[in-house]
Amino acid sequence: MAGSQTNWGVLLELSGPGPKHEQLARALRTAIRGLEDGAAVPPSRQLAADLGCSRWVVTQAYAQLVAEGYLDGRTGSATRVRRVGDAVAAKQPAPIERPRYDLAPGLPDLRHFPRQRWADAVRGVLTTVPHTDFGLPDPAGHPRLRATLAGYLRRVRGAAPGEVLICGGVTDGVTRVCRALRANGITRLAVEDPGWTRLRRAAANTGMGIDPVPVDGEGLDVGRIPSGTRAVLVTPAHQFPTGTVLSPRRRAELMTWARDVDGLVLEDDYDAEFRYDRRPVGTLQGTDPGRVALFGSVSKTLSPALGLGWAVVPPQWTSPGHAPPVLDQLALAAFVESGGYDRHLRAARLRYRARRDRLVDALGPARLSGVAAGLHLVLHLDRDAAAVVREARAKGVKVADLDDYRVAPGEPALVLGYGNLADNAVEAAARLLREAVG
């Protein structure tokens, strides 16, 4: 529409907070988006009369929009619309289709996030931390959390943490170490196959060449690490996704390999908190801190939304990064120091063990694998896994194909995550999955 045809007195509505010239500026911004480039707006005296306000209100609003680039005001000429770009309607994001039953791996029970105790920790931090903690953060992490986690890892995981660094999670920590490896001439990383796709991609994104190494019933087949490779990424406490534990023989072989090649083991302490039939094995890092970088996070114990993790890395393999928000770090420190984290894990272990047992019973005579630990198990199939995934999805059940975590396809199987599955949904989800399997 042309500016000369616009009934400005009717079009503009002065309302909302702020003085009148700010109200008018807001109204004008909206109105002139529909005008052609170069269309004239009314003279200030005329618009003031139409709106029943002072001319000063109009001149101030015009001046603001000239400064912002909406209008072009020249002495001796009408004030005109300046079209900077076409208005683009904001696109509504496509709605996320959520399955009725989500058995994809990777999430803890988000229903049981300790909201009140976490809120108490945050509140306590806000009221007690010195004002200096609101300054520029230490890239290595807040000293209080680093010391707290050092004590926790020593006590619970048998680690030998000399220098704990705070990071955004395991992926962040592994990415930093891979950068340091490349900077020191180590350009290839052996990874478990199958294994976490996200970590494999993160390492590749740093420029590392990736060497997949098969996993069997004893864990990583150390003897098949390619010659010339000097770094390897493993999940010895509970391998993802096969659910195996690195055997004592393989642990010894791996540490011998690291010494022989003057290499580094990147230990993702995945699911170490959740072993149901016995105490979890201690870390590799505790046996040789100079050859192992240890990584952990609260993603599987509290929530991935917190973005809090840690790395214990030999000094020569550290790389700079950005630590998570300081207040979140201090809240975690307070939560661990108060004993709240230990209590949360004890309750979670009981809950997950019972849920795992229910799921195994509900699946009936199925071929399952994986030790009694963690938040997932593997269901082996006699037919194409991708087809089962599609049929299960059509029934409202989300499951993962084991091939999603392999470098090369293998025996058909599904990875079933039960961490975030409601207890009252176990039997129904298992029944629909059995129907999809056929």
Side-chain angles (χ1 to χ4, degrees):
M1 58 182 173
S4 59
Q5 298 173 327
T6 304
N7 188 338
W8 292 91
V10 174
L11 182 63
L12 299 174
E13 178 182 354
L14 275 60
S15 61
K20 276 195 172 183
H21 67 277
E22 292 182 3
Q23 297 174 25
L24 177 57
R26 285 197 298 270
L28 283 166
R29 285 190 198 95
T30 300
I32 65 180
R33 288 192 178 107
L35 300 181
E36 299 172 357
D37 188 24
V41 295
S44 58
R45 195 182 305 277
Q46 176 188 328
L47 185 56
D50 290 345
L51 296 174
C53 64
S54 72
R55 186 183 176 197
W56 181 88
V57 169
V58 179
T59 59
Q60 289 296 304
Y62 280 1
Q64 179 65 30
L65 297 185
V66 167
E68 293 176 359
Y70 287 93
L71 297 177
D72 185 10
R74 300 179 183 177
T75 304
S77 177
T79 302
R80 298 183 180 278
V81 173
R82 176 188 290 166
R83 179 60 57 82
V84 177
D86 292 332
V88 179
K91 293 184 178 179
Q92 293 295 324
I96 299 175
E97 183 184 353
R98 299 190 181 279
R100 186 177 179 188
Y101 304 111
D102 189 350
L103 274 72
L107 282 178
D109 195 333
L110 303 180
R111 301 167 188 81
H112 288 272
F113 180 83
R115 294 173 183 251
Q116 186 57 56
R117 282 178 287 172
W118 187 260
D120 291 342
V122 172
R123 189 179 303 110
V125 163
L126 284 171
T127 56
T128 60
V129 298
H131 69 275
T132 51
D133 281 337
F134 292 99
L136 291 174
D138 185 339
H142 195 282
R144 176 179 170 187
L145 179 58
R146 295 170 68 188
T148 298
L149 287 176
Y152 173 81
L153 293 171
R154 189 178 296 109
R155 171 174 59 88
V156 175
R157 297 297 300 124
E163 194 77 7
V164 177
L165 305 178
I166 309 303
C167 52
V170 172
T171 301
D172 179 31
V174 168
T175 297
R176 295 192 201 183
V177 171
C178 285
R179 292 197 188 109
L181 289 169
R182 273 189 55 81
N184 285 273
I186 297 180
T187 59
R188 303 204 65 80
L189 177 71
V191 299
E192 297 169 326
D193 186 21
W196 266 116
T197 309
R198 187 183 304 115
L199 287 180
R200 189 165 64 237
R201 288 175 179 165
N205 287 340
T206 68
M208 295 289 284
I210 302 301
D211 296 320
V213 178
V215 172
D216 59 23
E218 291 188 80
L220 180 85
D221 189 345
V222 179
R224 297 181 67 174
I225 298 176
S227 175
T229 300
R230 293 178 54 203
V232 60
L233 173 63
V234 293
T235 51
H238 185 226
Q239 204 277 332
F240 181 88
T242 65
T244 60
V245 176
L246 192 65
S247 69
R249 179 172 70 90
R250 291 277 176 82
R251 287 168 68 96
E253 289 178 0
L254 183 59
M255 299 316 302
T256 299
W257 168 87
R259 288 188 290 271
D260 289 345
V261 302
D262 189 24
L264 180 70
V265 176
L266 286 71
E267 179 180 12
D268 176 4
D269 204 24
Y270 178 79
D271 269 356
E273 297 85 357
F274 301 127
R275 184 75 189 258
Y276 311 128
D277 56 349
R278 47 163 289 180
R279 288 185 60 84
V281 294
T283 64
L284 287 170
Q285 190 270 349
T287 66
D288 195 342
R291 296 288 181 192
V292 182
L294 176 68
F295 305 92
S297 79
V298 299
S299 293
K300 304 298 186 293
T301 55
L302 291 172
S303 164
L306 295 176
L308 289 166
W310 51 87
V312 187
V313 183
Q316 67 271 32
W317 303 121
T318 57
S319 178
H322 300 284
V326 170
L327 291 180
D328 293 339
Q329 294 184 56
L330 292 174
L332 178 59
F335 193 48
V336 174
E337 292 163 359
S338 70
Y341 191 55
D342 285 327
R343 289 191 293 272
H344 173 77
L345 290 178
R346 283 196 295 270
R349 276 190 286 270
L350 294 174
R351 184 165 55 251
Y352 292 140
R353 177 173 187 169
R355 189 176 302 162
R356 184 185 190 278
D357 292 345
R358 286 182 64 178
L359 181 59
V360 169
D361 290 342
L363 288 172
R367 288 193 295 134
L368 302 171
S369 65
V371 297
L375 306 178
H376 75 276
L377 50 81
V378 176
L379 171 62
H380 299 272
L381 302 174
D382 296 320
R383 52 176 299 213
D384 180 52
V388 175
V389 170
R390 290 192 297 271
E391 292 176 28
R393 190 60 186 253
K395 295 177 179 293
V397 181
K398 182 179 180 181
V399 292
D401 187 339
L402 181 58
D403 278 353
D404 291 343
Y405 306 101
R406 288 173 168 141
V407 175
E411 175 195 352
L414 303 178
V415 184
L416 308 182
Y418 51 84
N420 200 33
L421 182 65
D423 288 326
N424 59 8
V426 171
E427 283 75 18
R431 175 178 55 79
L432 293 173
L433 181 56
R434 290 199 312 270
E435 293 176 1
V437 171

